[in-house]
């Protein structure tokens, strides 16, 4: 009976990953994007598939997917010769690498961990690289759905405690939990639970790292410890030099008018 389950699973994955939206109006120039990124950057993607829409609604966020930029740490190339610089956990595929061009035309956001040195950022990248080939944790997606769905008379904290956190297998993960686990290795916070304690008459904040399976793509966006990097602004932006279509039309009309 396993072949029946596998066949149904493949059809379901194919249905969920089918793109149903047009390309976004906002996209970065691939060359500018490549120049902007640094090892350890988290790239959030809005996505255009059915499952992306479900995740966005489930998490009340525009972001449905997260990938990690690893730069030139991978010696893997696409058929056209482009180097793989991304590591991601993708539904139906698992943990795999990909070239930057895969998401060059998508609506994305770059989240950069603040003040991590190159050695620490490479540690984060290496953690994900060593997980290439791991399977996607479908059970974790179901758990997140249960966590995000309001239950009458049950608080969010209690819903967290009621969760069975993913499959429990170390070789299974989802996109955000894999990256969260990588940052946990260097003890870098994303959205920790904050506890205020009294210490010798002074109030101090103690951070508690949440279980990595509870992280979602949006958490890197709203984290107070990640910078939002916009490629259009990195090399400077002068709004005075923006070429507006209206100005071009007016200039063309002015040239076409006969001289009096």
């Amino acid at each position: 009976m396993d072949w029946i389950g596998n066949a149904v699973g493949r059809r379901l994955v194919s249905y969920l990953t089918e793109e149903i939206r047009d390309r976004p109006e906002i996209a970065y120039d691939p060359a500018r994007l490549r120049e902007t990124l640094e090892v350890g950057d988290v790239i959030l993607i809005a996505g255009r598939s059915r499952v992306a829409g479900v995740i966005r609604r489930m998490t009340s966020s525009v972001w449905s997917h997260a990938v990690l930029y690893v730069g030139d740490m991978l010696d893997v190339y696409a058929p056209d010769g482009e180097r793989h610089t991304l590591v991601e956990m993708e539904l139906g595929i698992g943990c795999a690498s990909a070239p930057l061009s895969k998401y060059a035309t998508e609506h994305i956001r770059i989240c950069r961990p603040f003040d991590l040195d190159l050695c620490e950022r490479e540690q984060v990248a290496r953690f994900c690289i060593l997980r290439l080939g791991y399977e996607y944790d479908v059970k974790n997606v179901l758990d997140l759905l249960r966590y995000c769905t309001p239950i009458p008379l049950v608080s969010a904290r209690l819903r967290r405690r009621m969760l069975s956190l993913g499959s429990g297998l170390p070789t299974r993960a989802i996109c955000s939990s894999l990256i969260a686990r990588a940052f946990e290795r260097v003890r870098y916070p994303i959205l920790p639970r904050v506890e205020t304690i009294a210490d010798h008459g002074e109030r101090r904040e103690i951070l508690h790292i949440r279980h990595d399976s509870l992280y979602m793509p949006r958490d890197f966006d709203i984290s107070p410890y990640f910078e939002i990097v916009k490629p259009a602004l990195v090399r400077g932006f002068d709004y005075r030099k923006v070429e507006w279509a209206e100005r071009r039309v007016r200039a063309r009309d002015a040239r076409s008018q006969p001289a009096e």
Side-chain angles (χ1 to χ4, degrees):
M1 297 295 290
D2 287 345
W3 69 271
I4 298 179
N6 291 335
V8 172
R10 285 193 296 270
R11 291 291 297 272
L12 179 60
V13 167
S14 177
Y15 174 79
L16 290 174
T17 56
E18 182 181 353
E19 294 185 354
I20 57 175
R21 297 171 57 207
D22 294 332
R23 288 186 176 182
E25 296 180 359
I26 303 174
Y28 294 113
D29 174 66
R32 177 72 65 87
L33 183 60
R34 193 172 293 106
E35 293 172 358
T36 302
L37 288 166
E38 296 180 0
V39 174
D41 284 351
V42 179
I43 305 175
L44 304 182
I45 296 126
R48 293 176 282 154
S49 65
R50 286 188 174 89
V51 70
V54 171
I55 294 174
R56 286 196 301 271
R57 289 193 296 272
M58 186 174 75
T59 61
S60 301
S61 169
V62 69
W63 312 115
S64 68
H65 188 48
V67 305
L68 187 75
Y69 183 75
V70 300
D72 296 335
M73 295 179 65
L74 278 172
D75 193 23
V76 181
Y77 297 85
D80 62 359
E82 183 183 0
R83 190 172 199 145
H84 283 205
T85 55
L86 306 175
V87 174
E88 62 180 336
M89 185 67 75
E90 189 173 5
L91 181 64
I93 296 176
C95 188
S97 61
L100 184 60
S101 61
K102 179 177 180 179
Y103 297 112
T105 59
E106 296 285 348
H107 180 28
I108 68 170
R109 172 159 293 172
I110 301 172
C111 302
R112 179 168 296 164
F114 182 76
D115 204 31
L116 269 186
D117 60 34
L118 178 59
C119 180
E120 291 169 320
R121 287 187 278 115
E122 287 181 344
Q123 278 185 258
V124 172
R126 194 171 295 109
F127 179 92
C128 291
I129 290 173
L130 291 175
R131 271 70 190 169
L132 289 172
Y134 278 23
E135 298 177 2
Y136 194 96
D137 195 348
V138 178
K139 186 178 184 299
N140 187 270
V141 176
L142 300 178
D143 288 337
L144 283 176
L145 178 60
R146 289 161 49 202
Y147 167 62
C148 295
T149 303
I151 303 175
L153 305 178
V154 178
S155 66
R157 178 177 297 182
L158 184 56
R159 291 204 307 273
R160 276 198 298 270
R161 292 179 180 176
M162 292 167 59
L163 283 181
S164 170
L165 300 175
S167 65
L169 298 176
T171 56
R172 289 178 179 264
I174 62 172
C175 62
S176 46
S177 68
L178 176 70
I179 298 174
R181 200 177 300 167
F183 280 104
E184 184 179 338
R185 283 300 181 96
V186 297
R187 307 302 291 174
Y188 193 85
I190 302 171
L191 273 182
R193 181 173 61 85
V194 180
E195 178 186 5
T196 303
I197 64 172
D199 186 12
H200 301 291
E202 297 182 359
R203 299 183 68 83
R204 298 173 52 201
E205 289 186 346
I206 304 296
L207 304 185
H208 297 267
I209 292 181
R210 291 192 298 164
H211 195 283
D212 54 73
S213 68
L214 289 177
Y215 280 102
M216 312 171 200
R218 70 169 185 187
D219 292 337
F220 296 95
D221 183 23
I222 64 178
S223 170
Y225 310 108
F226 281 75
E227 296 180 288
I228 304 303
V229 180
K230 298 189 177 182
L233 305 181
V234 168
R235 289 196 171 185
F237 171 69
D238 186 352
Y239 74 92
R240 301 171 188 85
K241 296 180 179 180
V242 173
E243 187 173 2
W244 295 100
E246 293 86 347
R247 293 179 183 176
R248 180 180 288 271
V249 171
R250 285 199 297 267
R252 183 190 62 196
D253 292 345
R255 289 193 302 269
S256 63
Q257 290 179 357
E260 295 181 359

